[in-house]
Amino acid sequence: MKRRLAFGVIVIAVVGVLGGAALLIAGQSRVSQDAIPSSVTRTPELIDSGWKLPVAATFNADVTWQSNGSRCGPASVANTFRSIGEEETTEAEVLAGTGMCWTGFCVIGLTLDELAEVARTNTKRKVSVLRNLSADAFREHMKRANDPDRRYIVNFTREKIFGAGAGHFSPVGGYLEAEDMVFVLDVNEDYKPWLVERERLFSAMDTIDSDGDKKRGLLLIE
């Protein structure tokens, strides 16, 4: 009985420490509320145009927000799976069987490769990691982001767009080619979906994730 009690205390302590670490990281990288609307485009007309794009339309103008600041990756996969008719449409369901984020927090967040493994665990669809892309290659992928048979999740750093913040995942809703803007279905409720110039999103993606010492990039599910 004493051993079980001691084990339970240890587990609670570990969860508390990891959860505290995740909250500390999120707090240190917080973007001010004033910086959000001034850094991206959220005018009603363009947002409406974004939601009418073929891929964005499959989300039904509805994004399920991430449960905490560390779980943007699983939330992005869950939202993306919902848009293509997969059964796993919650963070818990897409994480099931992966052994990741078992404390309730993805401490320091997941890398692009780790999120790919999460996606592969619960789908028979092809999941590809796309990194080290040139600006031209990124543009071609964004053009294909309007293909209903493809889904992209972008891994980028908020710092390049909002002036502060850390790495983040969100689904790509599509590409407004005439405006040369990408529609990002941000899974963080504080940000909500927004549009940004393709070159700026590429700059934010074309960065090193210090957790894995590799470049960020795109996750392609098809």
Side-chain angles (χ1 to χ4, degrees), residues 117-175:
E117 288 307 309
V118 167
R120 292 183 183 118
T121 299
N122 290 294
T123 186
K124 294 182 179 179
R125 297 175 187 270
K126 181 180 178 182
V127 179
S128 304
V129 171
L130 307 174
R131 60 160 53 93
N132 298 314
L133 297 172
S134 66
D136 287 341
F138 180 70
R139 183 171 186 268
E140 291 306 309
H141 278 291
M142 290 302 94
K143 285 183 178 180
R144 301 193 69 183
N146 293 327
D147 181 346
D149 293 326
R150 299 164 74 92
R151 296 291 185 280
Y152 289 93
I153 294 173
V154 61
N155 181 206
F156 63 99
T157 176
R158 289 202 190 278
E159 193 276 333
K160 288 280 188 175
I161 296 175
F162 298 97
H168 187 62
F169 288 98
S170 279
V172 172
Y175 177 53

Side-chain angles (χ1 to χ4, degrees), residues 27-220:
Q28 289 176 335
S29 61
R30 185 175 298 278
V31 175
S32 72
Q33 285 296 310
D34 291 339
I36 297 174
S38 63
S39 300
V40 293
T41 298
R42 290 199 307 195
T43 57
E45 296 81 5
L46 283 175
I47 290 293
D48 185 58
S49 295
W51 280 121
K52 290 177 181 177
L53 292 168
V55 167
T58 66
F59 289 78
N60 297 315
D62 179 33
V63 175
T64 301
W65 313 121
Q66 63 192 83
S67 61
N68 63 57
S70 71
R71 295 181 68 160
C72 56
S76 294
V77 172
N79 277 283
T80 299
F81 277 1
R82 174 168 53 84
S83 79
I84 52 178
E86 293 282 3
E87 294 182 359
E88 291 73 16
T89 60
T90 68
E91 293 175 10
E93 288 169 341
V94 300
L95 287 168
T98 68
M100 298 184 189
C101 312
W102 62 272
T103 65
F105 293 91
C106 304
V107 180
I108 310 179
L110 299 179
T111 66
L112 185 61
D113 294 303
E114 288 171 336
L115 190 62
E117 288 307 309
V118 167
R120 292 183 183 118
T121 299
N122 290 294
T123 186
K124 294 182 179 179
R125 297 175 187 270
K126 181 180 178 182
V127 179
S128 304
V129 171
L130 307 174
R131 60 160 53 93
N132 298 314
L133 297 172
S134 66
D136 287 341
F138 180 70
R139 183 171 186 268
E140 291 306 309
H141 278 291
M142 290 302 94
K143 285 183 178 180
R144 301 193 69 183
N146 293 327
D147 181 346
D149 293 326
R150 299 164 74 92
R151 296 291 185 280
Y152 289 93
I153 294 173
V154 61
N155 181 206
F156 63 99
T157 176
R158 289 202 190 278
E159 193 276 333
K160 288 280 188 175
I161 296 175
F162 298 97
H168 187 62
F169 288 98
S170 279
V172 172
Y175 177 53
L176 293 176
E177 189 168 356
E179 292 82 4
D180 197 18
M181 301 186 83
V182 181
F183 189 34
V184 178
L185 305 183
D186 204 314
V187 294
N188 187 313
E189 189 175 9
D190 289 340
Y191 294 79
K192 297 183 173 63
W194 40 266
L195 287 145
V196 67
E197 295 84 355
R198 172 185 51 81
E199 289 184 354
R200 291 181 62 207
L201 183 59
F202 173 74
S203 177
M205 183 196 76
D206 191 38
T207 52
I208 299 293
D209 182 351
S210 59
D211 186 29
D213 291 324
K214 293 181 179 179
K215 277 194 174 183
R216 297 181 172 87
L218 297 169
L219 200 65
L220 170 60

